[in-house]
Amino acid sequence: MDTEIKNAVKASDQDAQYDDRAKRILGQKYILAHILVKSVDEFKDMNPRDVVKYIEGDPIISKVPVEPGLTNVSMEKDGQRIVGFNTENEEINEGLVRFDIVFYVRMKDGLSQIIINIEAQKDEPTGYDILNRAIFYVSRLVSSQKERDFVNTNYDDIKRVFSIWICMNMEENSMNYIHLENDSIIGSHQWSGKLDLLNIVLIGLSTVLPEHNDEYELHRLLGALLSMELSIDEKLKIIENEYEIPIEDNFREDVSVMCNLSQGIREKGREEGREEGRKEGRNQRDREKIEDMLKDGKSPQAIADFCNYPLKLVQEVQKSMLVVR
């Protein structure tokens, strides 16, 4: 609980706080189980309630660095060296890019495990191609297993990894599965190895909440949870009545806080829009005043000095008047 509070307090603004709460809600095991049922072949068509038990430990939220060399940490326990995810040096690694959510899932055979990474995005990034970033993340999940999940050259012990990206505010609901394929170009030799080690799932959430049916079951759940328009009661009603997800106090609190934050973000956006409008109005009035003074024969330098306007602005207005003429 101390860590939960600390993470919330460290958020610097409403957007960051909303992002933090969204990750914590997505990190609830019942929500993760619904994602696994729709994303991982082994759990397809299973009841999410039956999948919860296969999620091992508590999902690690916003703690594990993505950067090479910092994902793992070595420690001593009972005289033995143990390598695990790096969750201890939060202050030392402050400012680094971190996996949103990472956790292990035990397969139904009770022996093998897979590693799941969930990433939440407010929209599809414009500064880079999201698939490229997803490939980097899924590759890091594989390479970081050395010395943690397998040692030396025991590459057959590499665990399957899934990097699942949830992008909000998309034009349509979508879901894509990206994985390795083997194309035989020459000959028919069968190379040994596992093609299913790398798995990327891209989930696009439309701004319009879809109806509850089998095709859009996951999209409706995630869309409702992350919506900035639905009220607390509307979200909880969908979660409880349509998906029969038990609502614990901390879950209810996170939903409540996230709804309040989204209201604040909307109000902040409206105020910024109004301020931008006021600014544009002031700019227009200033330009009209400069035009009148120029028409009266005053020099640009005199106008700039008298009204405390930037000379460049006055010259720009003068130039525009000449163009119009």
Side-chain angles (χ1 to χ4, degrees):
M1 181 59 69
D2 290 341
T3 302
E4 289 290 308
I5 295 173
K6 183 178 180 182
N7 286 342
V9 171
K10 284 179 67 176
S12 59
D13 55 34
Q14 289 172 323
D15 291 291
Q17 292 174 44
Y18 178 90
D19 183 56
D20 177 66
R21 292 285 174 168
K23 291 174 188 176
R24 282 160 53 171
I25 288 175
L26 289 174
Q28 295 282 334
K29 287 190 175 182
Y30 277 96
I31 305 302
L32 295 175
H34 276 274
I35 295 175
L36 292 176
V37 166
K38 295 296 185 179
S39 303
V40 179
D41 48 3
E42 174 120 358
F43 301 113
K44 185 178 180 181
D45 297 327
M46 284 183 63
N47 187 321
R49 285 177 171 269
D50 297 328
V51 176
V52 170
K53 63 185 178 184
Y54 294 106
I55 299 174
E56 298 194 329
D58 294 323
I60 305 171
I61 302 174
S62 297
K63 290 185 178 181
V64 179
V66 177
E67 277 77 359
L70 296 177
T71 303
N72 296 336
V73 64
S74 177
M75 63 194 80
E76 290 284 336
K77 185 174 182 181
D78 299 329
Q80 291 186 327
R81 177 176 176 268
I82 298 176
V83 179
F85 278 127
N86 180 6
T87 62
E88 303 301 322
N89 299 322
E90 191 168 352
E91 285 75 21
I92 294 176
N93 295 326
E94 188 171 359
L96 296 179
V97 176
R98 304 170 189 273
F99 292 107
D100 282 358
I101 303 170
V102 181
F103 58 100
Y104 282 86
V105 178
R106 180 71 60 177
M107 294 289 93
K108 289 186 289 185
D109 60 13
L111 300 174
S112 57
Q113 292 175 306
I114 61 175
I115 301 172
I116 305 291
N117 161 230
I118 308 288
E119 296 292 324
Q121 301 284 300
K122 288 187 176 66
D123 48 34
E124 185 173 6
T126 57
Y128 57 86
D129 293 331
I130 191 169
L131 180 55
N132 294 346
R133 184 176 176 185
I135 291 171
F136 178 77
Y137 274 46
V138 81
S139 300
R140 285 292 302 128
L141 290 170
V142 170
S143 64
S144 68
Q145 290 182 48
K146 190 166 183 0
E147 304 307 324
R148 189 185 74 233
D149 296 299
F150 75 94
V151 296
N152 300 325
T153 59
N154 298 327
Y155 295 109
D156 288 351
D157 293 335
I158 295 176
K159 302 182 188 303
R160 294 179 71 197
V161 297
F162 283 77
S163 189
I164 303 171
W165 293 70
I166 302 169
C167 292
M168 301 168 242
N169 300 305
M170 302 292 287
E171 293 184 358
E172 63 174 345
N173 288 303
S174 61
M175 187 170 183
N176 292 72
Y177 177 43
I178 294 96
H179 52 103
L180 296 176
E181 290 188 355
N182 181 5
D183 294 328
S184 296
I185 307 302
I186 298 176
S188 58
H189 180 74
Q190 297 298 309
W191 299 93
S192 60
K194 303 173 183 176
L195 283 175
D196 62 354
L197 290 180
L198 301 179
N199 302 273
I200 296 171
V201 180
L202 301 176
I203 301 173
L205 300 181
S206 168
T207 53
V208 179
L209 197 65
E211 294 297 323
H212 190 166
N213 55 43
D214 185 64
E215 183 178 11
Y216 293 114
E217 185 175 26
L218 178 60
H219 288 77
R220 180 171 174 82
L221 173 61
L222 296 178
L225 281 172
L226 301 172
S227 172
M228 297 185 69
E229 303 299 331
L230 296 181
S231 67
I232 299 170
D233 291 338
E234 288 172 325
K235 288 188 177 189
L236 294 179
K237 183 178 180 180
I238 290 175
I239 296 167
E240 290 181 299
N241 296 347
E242 297 185 21
Y243 294 89
E244 299 180 347
I245 295 175
I247 306 298
E248 298 178 357
D249 290 340
N250 64 329
F251 195 176
R252 187 182 298 272
E253 178 187 354
D254 279 337
V255 172
S256 175
V257 171
M258 193 170 71
C259 284
N260 291 333
L261 288 168
S262 65
Q263 176 64 29
I265 292 171
R266 287 198 301 273
E267 291 176 355
K268 178 183 176 183
R270 284 194 289 267
E271 178 57 34
E272 288 175 347
R274 287 192 290 268
E275 176 57 31
E276 186 64 27
R278 288 192 290 267
K279 182 179 178 181
E280 289 179 2
R282 288 194 298 270
N283 289 343
Q284 183 58 34
R285 289 193 296 273
D286 289 342
R287 295 178 75 89
E288 290 173 355
K289 183 178 179 179
I290 292 170
E291 285 184 5
D292 291 338
M293 296 178 76
L294 286 169
K295 289 175 183 178
D296 288 339
K298 293 183 173 60
S299 69
Q301 187 63 60
I303 296 173
D305 294 340
F306 182 76
C307 297
N308 199 27
Y309 289 140
L311 179 59
K312 185 177 180 180
L313 172 61
V314 180
Q315 291 172 335
E316 181 184 308
V317 175
Q318 184 184 44
K319 184 178 180 180
S320 66
M321 291 173 64
L322 293 172
V323 171
V324 171
R325 290 176 184 174

